[in-house]
Structure formats: structure tokens, C-alpha cells
Amino acid sequence: MKKFVTLVLALALVLTMTGIVTALAEEEKTIHPMRYVQPGTLPSDYETGIAAVNEKLLADGYDIEVEIIRIPWGEYDTKLNMMLATGEEFELLHVMQDVKNMSALAAMGAIVPVDEYLDKYPNLVAMFTDTEWLGALYNGEHYAVPCSWKSFDNLMSYMNLRTDVMKAVGYEEFPGDSVEEIIDLMKKSQDYILEETGIKAYNWFHQNQDTAHWLHRTYDTYPFYVENSLGIVLARQDGTIDSFYESEEFKQDCETYYEMYQAGLVNPDVLNMDHSVMYDSAELGAFLPSQTFDPYYTVTIANTAGIETAQVDWVETCPDKPEMVMTFVQNLNAISATAEDPESGLKFLDWLYASKENHDLFHYGIEGVHYTAIGDNKIEQMKDESGAALYVMDTWMTGYLPYIRFAADAPDSYIEYMTYKADNYVVSPIAGFIFDATNVQTELSNLQTEIIASIYPIKIGMVSYEENIDQAIENLKAAGLDTYLEEYRKQFSAYLEANPWVLEEAA
């Protein structure tokens, strides 16, 4: 009996010591920072929401602590460049291919490849399709994790417009096969909206560097795709790379916009104004068919301007023609070269996409405190005194479409727009290609400046194409246009050689 008691006491001592050792080990476990740089501003109850995220990360066995670092949009380029130049430490960077793309960041050494780590995160890898991962390739290596927050099947050639105004001015359906009728619709809509709101409405690009994709489907040479960031490259489906600013297609764009500008359908100060002005006007219902906005403005206009009859829908020119899939992924998240622990960002993304519960917590906060869930895919968010959500993290930077919740009042047309999958489409041969501008940095810098000075006024119709294009092309060539295109064609040719399936997919 005595031996038995001694044995029990010894076992208890071992268990106690094991517990102490385990507790000490947990106390000594290193928690790595996961600082994540994004554009924008933080929500008012950020601290409460992120504390809940970090508490669950720890409970789920992840040795990271998340901190979101936001850079206001007005300072984004300058401040991010400063952070990168000074080597400021952070772990994760949101990459917007239409702002500062992955190849530019990789070429300057700001982000690092992730391939050596991905085998440890098979569940994270499996969340995205092979084509989405193709969009994260640069020089044969994956430099980021894709963000699959919406469908990109309808990214090109669509427009958003107030269909209630369209019907009020005599068009029962969007005249998508006729540019002449679309311009007539714009003129009549502008008069109607001015009388309704007191604001002159205009046609807008999403950003000034965008090309007039809504026009391109109307051309006999479609399908083709114009690379959006500089508008220099026109990619045809047979793999030919042309100079867009020297093309017949660009001439057609400019002639249409010259007509529109002279008719007052383009804001005369569009090249100098803060583009937030267009969104301010749109919230009051004042915009013409444009390559920006979305169907949720149906709700926004009703709430902001009190126009309960407003109906915003997305439409396409030449709807019988195939969609143009021009990218496999538009937003990504990359590991910073200055990360204390390069895996911290991957650990966070692995946790984030592991469940809808985690996705909800990070993006929407604490249920009952920050939001009320409505069914599987809708949400009612609590507001602060300014009317903004108490806590929210933008799904366009980290969302996963099957998990995303839409506002309780989101119109069906908005959800359709976000989740749309095309039956009839072609894939641009440059959809998965990322250009490395390292060898043409000087030319790139010169071209960026010259395009703004020489091309933008022609593109928006401020000045005549015929009278100004020759000098503009001469200026672009002096800035390095031919050298840039030669390097682009060289890299793209190597890409096609390494990926022979691309042209088959594009056919």
C-alpha cells in the first residue's frame, strides 16, 4: 500500500512538473508581430476588434499578433515609398495591381518570394485556383498570395448607370450596340439629372490612366486588351503586342471622347481635380454611364440624396460579344523584405481563410458588438457617430468571395455584379504575364510623365487627335517608347515560350 501511495505521489509530482514546464514554455513562446500595411484609415473601434482577432489567433495556436497600419489615400504613394526607401519593418503589404503592381515592388526588392514557405500551408494554397496563383508569379516565383474577393469576368467593358434616368429620358434598354445612341443617352441624362439634383453629371473613368474599355467591344478588331496602368501596350489575342497610342483603336477612342468633351459630357477639369469629387457627386445621383461606381449606389443615392426612385445597374456594350478576362488576380498580399519573421504574414492568411468564423471576425468584428449576421451572406453593421461602421476591414484587400457578407440592403444586382461568372469569354494572353520594368526604369519614369502631359489631353477629348497626335508620339518616342515596347515584347515572348498553353487558351 505504501509503495502504491509513493507511486501515486511520484506520478502526481511528474504531472505537476510537466504542467509547470508546459506553462513556462507557453509563457516563453515568442509572439511575432504581423504588421500589415494597407491604404485608407482605421475604423473608430479598431482596437476592440483587433484585440478579439489576436485573442483568437493565440487560442488557435498561432504565434503572431496582428497590427493594421493604414496610410491615408492622399498620402499613400509618398508615404509607402518613404517606408520602402528607409527599410521600415513590417510583415505584410497589400498589393494593388492598378496602383503599384507586384512586379514593380519585386523589382525594387520591397517584397520577397513565398515559394519556400508554401509547402507548410497546403490549406492556404488550396483556397485559390491555379489561374489565381498564376497571377502571383514574377520571374518564375510566387511573390504574393492572391486575394479572391470578387469576380473579374466582368471587369472590362462594363458601365454603371442610373437606369431609372435612362427610362425617364426614353430608353427602355441600354443601347449597348450603338456608341451614337449611348452618347445621346448621356446628353439626355445630363439634362435630366441637372434638373433633378442641381448638379451637372459627367462620364468618368475609374482613374485617369484607364482606357475607354467600354468602347473597345464596339470595334471590329475586338477582342483585344489594353494594359491599364500606362495604356501603352495593346495585346491582341494572337500574342501580338502593339503600341496602343499609335493604333487605329486609340484614334477611335479619342475621336469619340472629343465629341463627348465638346458636348460637355466630360468634366473640363478632370485632369486636375481630386477624383473624390466624382464619388461625392455620384452619391447625390449625379453621374452619367461610366467605367466606375457599382450597383450599390442604388442604396447610397437613396440614403444620401433621398432619391428613392434611383436604380443603378451595370451594363455592357455589345453584350453578345465575349467577355475579356484580362487578369487572374487584381489584389494580392505580399511578404515585406523587412519582415521580422517572413512567415508571420502567411500564418495570418492561413488562419484568416481557415474558416468563415475567422473571416467574419477579422473583417466585421465581434458579432453583437460590431455587427448582426443576417443569414449566410448578409450583415447589418453597427455605426459610430459619423455614420461609419464601428469596425470593418475592407474585403477588397483580404476577402474571400465564398465567405464575404453583403450589406443587408445590398441590391441583388450588386451581388450579381460581385459574383458574376461569364459563360462566353476569352482570356487575354497577357492575363497572367507580369512585366519586369527593371531594365527600362528611366524610360518608364519618362513615359509616365510624358503620357500625362501629351496623351491625357488627347485621350479625354480636350484637344483634337488629328492636330496633336504626331507631336505626342514624337514626345513618347523621345521618352523611350520604342525601348519600352522592345523590352515588353522580349519578356512576353519568353513568357509565351515557357507557357505555350497561353495562346491556346486565348484563341
Side-chain angles (χ1 to χ4, degrees), residues 37 55 73 78 133 366 458 496:
V37 174
E55 182 180 344
W73 278 107
T78 302
W133 279 109
I366 304 167
I458 304 173
L496 291 179

Side-chain angles (χ1 to χ4, degrees), residues 263-280:
L265 301 175
V266 178
N267 189 302
D269 199 32
V270 64
L271 297 183
N272 301 309
M273 66 190 296
D274 185 334
H275 257 214
S276 63
V277 171
M278 72 180 185
Y279 294 107
D280 293 341

Side-chain angles (χ1 to χ4, degrees), residues 51-176:
V53 168
N54 284 320
E55 182 180 344
K56 190 167 191 305
L57 276 163
L58 190 60
D60 290 346
Y62 287 81
D63 60 345
I64 58 173
E65 183 173 87
V66 175
E67 176 190 0
I68 307 300
I69 301 170
R70 287 279 177 93
I71 304 175
W73 278 107
E75 307 167 24
Y76 185 73
D77 281 342
T78 302
K79 196 161 182 178
L80 178 60
N81 287 336
M82 178 76 69
M83 292 175 73
L84 298 176
T86 58
E88 185 170 333
E89 289 189 359
F90 60 94
E91 282 64 45
L92 202 61
L93 174 65
H94 184 68
V95 179
M96 297 164 282
Q97 296 287 58
D98 58 344
V99 176
K100 186 183 284 291
N101 69 28
M102 188 179 72
S103 62
L105 291 163
M108 65 191 294
I111 58 177
V112 297
V114 297
D115 287 316
E116 65 177 291
Y117 309 111
L118 288 180
D119 285 347
K120 298 181 184 179
Y121 304 97
N123 293 332
L124 175 62
V125 172
M127 299 301 288
F128 305 100
T129 66
D130 290 344
T131 51
E132 285 169 335
W133 279 109
L134 279 173
L137 276 175
Y138 169 75
N139 277 353
E141 295 183 280
H142 294 97
Y143 268 80
V145 176
C147 176
S148 183
W149 65 280
K150 76 176 291 290
S151 168
F152 289 99
D153 287 14
N154 58 347
L155 194 61
M156 290 295 102
S157 307
Y158 78 92
M159 303 179 89
N160 277 281
L161 78 160
R162 283 185 57 184
T163 47
D164 61 307
V165 173
M166 177 187 77
K167 292 175 180 177
V169 300
Y171 284 88
E172 282 302 312
E173 295 181 351
F174 180 66

